[in-house]
Amino acid sequence: MNHPHRPAPVSFAQALKFWLWLGCVSFGGPAGQIALMHEELVVRRRWISEKRYLHALHYCMLLPGPEAQQLATYTGWLMHGTRGGIAAGALFVLPSLVLLIALSWAYTVWGQHPWGQALLWGLKPAVTALVLQAVHRMAKRTLKAPWLWALAGASLLGTLVGVGFPWLVAAAALVGWAMARQRPMQGSAHGQTGAAQEATAALIDDHTPTPEHSRYTTGRLLRTSGIGLALWAFTLGGLALWLGAGHTLVRMGGFFTEAALLTFGGAYAVLPYVTQAAVSQFGWLSATQMMDGLALGETTPGPLIIVVAFVGFLGGQGQALLGDPLLGGIAAACVVTWFTFLPSFIFILAGGPLVESSRHVPTLNGPLQAISAAVIGVMLQLAGTFAWHTGWPTAQWSQPDWPALALTAPAAWLLIARQWPVVRVLAVCALVGMGVQWV
């Protein structure tokens, strides 16, 4: 049914321009990017309705990997099929990959200079503040009932005692399923009046028929999954045949595939897993370098997990892969990015039709909402980890870095209470770091 206020159809060329713009301006980590996409896609451009946007978001948060990039891929796929999904997901990543490779090279050249150290010192409190902002935003959007607050707290405690995130997800899903059966979802993010929906009709709204390319069939699921697995096997197998099974690039490909598949909860859940393995297991970089990489990653647009490109660059350059440190670093950064994001494309392009077919299944709302609450607990634990590395860089309680702690608090206040743009807060913290060095 046509609506008089429905936006005009969006061409693929128009969508390409938007996705490229989004990839260049999406600062602020996953929470900020999800909020930006909501503002642009739901509120301003009205390409997709609130309910369908949130249904896609809940699915992406259920998956392992970077949820913001997956959400962009899902929306692009819903609008323009496979080519739309690939374009949206790739353009969300490519600008930040190019920029982070350049920053990684600059870090290896000037990172140990006193002024470079001062710049990084100023950025680390901003990183901690950004994670706290992400927790705050997500809690406001998700924790709409007391039992969801309790679930987030239980997830935090579980994370602190070492419970694996897949177990937390499974437990949260069971609790959400039980709550959905016991009573209707109170305070659901889907709650929107019919009048409001009518007044803000979207190009793809709650009543838009499912497009042909997004209808579920078993054959389509198997075909898309098979193509994705073949791409993975071809690239990893090709690297192994060319360089040998024990080569660093092959080990990176295998590890970051594992990380992409096993780490649920988005970028904030992936980072502790990647940090532990890259530092302690493989020795691709040090713990201090990993924190520096996180600071640099926060200064770039795109998905936060693109920091894996920094890990790959330092690991590849340190071992002079392919005979040249710079070439080896660039190759490793690209390999790591490919194997980190390939599963996300497969999940969306293969699983999207199944998700679309479940839009009107109310029993799924409870588990998905509960999983979102569990993710908040994990994010809060990561915020604590970042605060520890920022405020106690020597890992000794008796040796706090008081200036860093003093900078973290106002940075968080500016982001959360004053709602300053991320880039402005990063710039202020960087200038403070330089000022401390000068003093």
Side-chain angles (χ1 to χ4, degrees):
M1 181 177 67
N2 290 328
H3 190 282
H5 302 294
R6 193 180 306 279
V10 179
S11 69
F12 183 60
Q14 289 175 303
L16 279 179
K17 293 179 182 178
F18 170 77
W19 296 121
L20 178 59
W21 172 84
L22 183 70
C24 293
V25 302
S26 54
F27 293 90
Q33 291 152 4
I34 290 169
L36 175 62
M37 281 192 279
H38 180 273
E39 178 68 24
E40 290 292 332
L41 295 171
V42 178
V43 178
R44 184 166 176 264
R45 300 171 190 269
R46 293 185 289 127
W47 288 358
I48 185 171
S49 70
E50 174 91 2
K51 188 172 183 179
R52 293 188 82 151
Y53 176 87
L54 289 171
H55 184 77
L57 173 60
H58 285 157
Y59 171 61
C60 294
M61 293 180 68
L62 173 63
L63 296 173
E67 67 273 27
Q69 185 265 348
Q70 290 167 342
L71 182 60
T73 305
Y74 192 104
T75 308
W77 164 80
L78 193 60
M79 294 180 63
H80 294 107
T82 300
R83 65 171 184 168
I86 293 174
L91 291 175
F92 195 78
V93 173
L94 286 177
S96 57
L97 173 61
V98 173
L99 182 56
L100 194 56
I101 287 176
L103 289 173
S104 301
W105 171 79
Y107 174 83
T108 60
V109 176
W110 294 297
Q112 299 307 311
H113 189 279
W115 289 107
Q117 289 291 304
L119 179 66
L120 291 167
W121 179 90
L123 289 175
K124 287 176 184 177
V127 171
T128 304
L130 282 165
V131 180
L132 291 172
Q133 181 203 34
V135 173
H136 178 262
R137 281 183 170 177
M138 200 166 184
K140 284 181 62 178
R141 185 174 64 243
T142 302
L143 304 183
K144 301 290 188 178
W147 70 273
L148 291 169
W149 280 92
L151 196 57
S155 174
L156 173 61
L157 291 176
T159 304
L160 292 174
V161 300
V163 178
F165 196 82
W167 295 107
L168 294 176
V169 167
L174 286 174
V175 171
W177 177 78
M179 294 299 293
R181 285 177 59 87
Q182 179 180 349
R183 57 187 176 183
M185 292 280 88
Q186 296 179 0
S188 172
H190 295 331
Q192 199 178 33
T193 65
Q197 290 177 358
E198 187 74 14
T200 58
L203 188 63
I204 301 176
D205 63 19
D206 305 346
H207 308 292
T208 302
T210 301
E212 173 59 33
H213 68 266
S214 60
R215 292 177 182 171
Y216 172 77
T217 65
T218 303
R220 178 173 288 160
L221 173 65
L222 294 175
R223 182 170 60 254
T224 306
S225 301
I227 292 173
L229 289 173
L231 275 174
W232 172 82
F234 177 78
T235 49
L236 189 61
L239 285 173
L241 288 174
W242 176 35
L243 301 169
H247 195 273
T248 299
L249 286 182
V250 179
R251 296 173 70 191
M252 285 181 173
F255 168 72
F256 283 99
T257 298
E258 178 184 326
L261 294 174
L262 298 182
T263 47
F264 293 83
Y268 290 103
V270 175
L271 287 174
Y273 181 78
V274 170
T275 299
Q276 190 277 332
V279 173
S280 304
Q281 181 179 349
F282 296 107
W284 291 327
L285 74 176
S286 68
T288 301
Q289 288 173 326
M290 188 68 194
M291 279 297 295
D292 293 340
L294 291 172
L296 293 176
E298 288 282 14
T299 67
T300 65
L304 176 59
I305 196 58
I306 196 63
V307 72
V308 299
F310 178 85
V311 176
F313 187 93
L314 263 63
Q317 189 182 54
Q319 301 184 41
L321 300 179
L322 307 179
D324 179 83
L326 179 58
L327 181 60
I330 294 173
C334 293
V335 165
V336 162
T337 303
W338 168 259
F339 285 104
T340 298
F341 288 96
L342 178 61
S344 294
F345 284 98
I346 299 174
F347 288 141
I348 299 302
L349 299 179
L354 188 59
V355 177
E356 281 296 299
S357 69
S358 69
R359 284 193 301 114
H360 303 294
V361 182
T363 55
L364 290 181
N365 291 340
L368 290 174
Q369 202 174 7
I371 289 168
S372 299
V375 169
I376 292 173
V378 176
M379 291 169 61
L380 193 58
Q381 187 272 339
L382 184 63
T385 300
F386 284 4
W388 168 255
H389 285 291
T390 300
W392 289 267
T394 62
Q396 299 293 327
W397 279 110
S398 59
Q399 299 176 349
D401 186 343
W402 290 114
L405 289 172
L407 182 57
T408 302
W413 177 76
L414 289 172
L415 285 167
I416 297 172
R418 304 295 298 175
Q419 297 184 356
W420 273 29
V422 171
V423 177
R424 187 188 301 176
V425 173
L426 290 170
V428 168
C429 290
L431 288 174
V432 171
M434 303 294 277
V436 170
Q437 169 66 20
W438 181 78
V439 170

